[in-house]
Amino acid sequence: MNDPIDIISQNVLWNRLVSVCEEQANALMRAAFGAIVREAGDLSAGVFNAKGEMLAQAVTGTPGHVNTMAASVRAMLEFAPAKTLSEGDALVTNDPWLGAGHVFDFVVVTPAFLNGKIIGYLASTSHVVDVGGRGFGADANSVYEEGIHLPIVKFAERGEVDRTLIAIVRGNVREPDQVVGDLHALATCNESGHRRLIAMMEEFDLDDLSGISDFILENSRRATIE
């Protein structure tokens, strides 16, 4: 849709984006294996535009995860620009230096395609059951003792989960079924958000998120200044 839409419709779209994130978060809480996600909501979910700027975040979740997730998305897009991604891809990392918070927090980012073009990204993060090593504590003498470290890698490529990655994760944690289950839950909740996002765009006849992005970012900037 090329014609500008009125401010009421813009606000409706903004609220719908928040609803997309809420659906992501609720899907993650239902699918997660870890009690800290299911019962304490130790997670975050968000929708980002094609530039990697966050447009909406789930009300469900923790504030600390929101900023780390946003930082991880920027790092991931530097590592894997849009031209290197295909439909069905999903990126993952738990590197705290890139924004995951600590090694227990895994972030999964999924590109959202419409008509063969990336129009945005769905991201989610949560505290997984176990990462091996010494686990949660301050008694490690180096970062290598804390547990498995995943750089930014593809969790899935064109819809196929990387079995080698899964084997590496399973071989380095105490609860392999639960940890792998948590990773699948993160990817699945993004897919849930992706479907809802595309349905919203088709309902409002949107070709991209540029218009609503400008509206959200400008109004957020103005509100912050005020």
Side-chain angles (χ1 to χ4, degrees):
M1 183 176 64
N2 296 319
D3 297 330
I5 53 181
D6 61 81
I7 191 169
I8 294 177
S9 297
Q10 297 276 27
N11 277 288
V12 169
L13 281 170
W14 195 348
N15 286 322
R16 288 286 293 273
L17 286 175
V18 174
S19 296
V20 169
C21 299
E22 277 297 291
E23 183 161 330
Q24 276 180 269
N26 288 327
L28 180 54
M29 291 179 72
R30 291 194 300 271
F33 281 61
I36 192 170
V37 177
R38 294 196 317 269
E39 299 176 12
D42 196 10
L43 61 93
S44 187
V47 174
F48 295 72
N49 65 17
K51 297 179 182 178
E53 298 167 323
M54 187 163 58
L55 303 181
Q57 65 197 47
V59 177
T60 304
T62 56
H65 274 143
V66 173
N67 289 329
T68 56
M69 177 181 66
S72 294
V73 171
R74 291 193 295 271
M76 287 183 173
L77 297 190
E78 289 180 7
F79 170 81
K83 63 182 180 181
T84 68
L85 299 173
S86 304
E87 293 190 52
D89 286 0
L91 301 168
V92 64
T93 187
N94 71 328
D95 189 336
W97 299 106
L98 297 179
H102 63 160
V103 290
F104 276 91
D105 293 342
F106 280 73
V107 184
V108 173
V109 174
T110 304
F113 281 83
L114 179 63
N115 299 323
K117 182 181 70 173
I118 291 180
I119 49 85
Y121 298 87
L122 288 301
S124 58
T125 182
S126 72
H127 182 117
V128 303
V129 173
D130 180 59
V131 289
R134 289 180 179 267
F136 193 76
D139 51 347
N141 294 312
S142 75
V143 69
Y144 301 105
E145 297 177 52
E146 293 182 7
I148 188 170
H149 244 92
L150 287 188
I152 298 172
V153 293
K154 283 188 177 180
F155 175 75
E157 185 166 12
R158 298 181 184 273
E160 292 292 327
V161 175
D162 188 326
R163 295 185 179 182
T164 300
L165 172 64
I166 295 300
I168 291 171
V169 172
R170 293 184 66 88
N172 283 275
V173 299
R174 300 173 185 86
E175 298 288 347
D177 291 341
Q178 293 190 51
V179 173
V180 171
D182 279 342
L183 295 182
H184 279 283
L186 285 163
T188 299
C189 89
N190 284 356
E191 285 302 313
S192 174
H194 185 197
R195 290 193 297 271
R196 182 68 70 174
L197 175 64
I198 297 305
M200 182 203 80
M201 294 181 68
E202 291 175 346
E203 177 184 344
F204 285 87
D205 193 24
L206 297 175
D207 296 324
D208 55 46
L209 296 173
S210 58
I212 187 61
S213 294
D214 293 342
F215 178 79
I216 290 173
L217 296 174
E218 174 57 27
N219 278 273
S220 298
R221 185 191 69 84
R222 186 184 304 116
T224 302
I225 292 173
E226 291 176 355

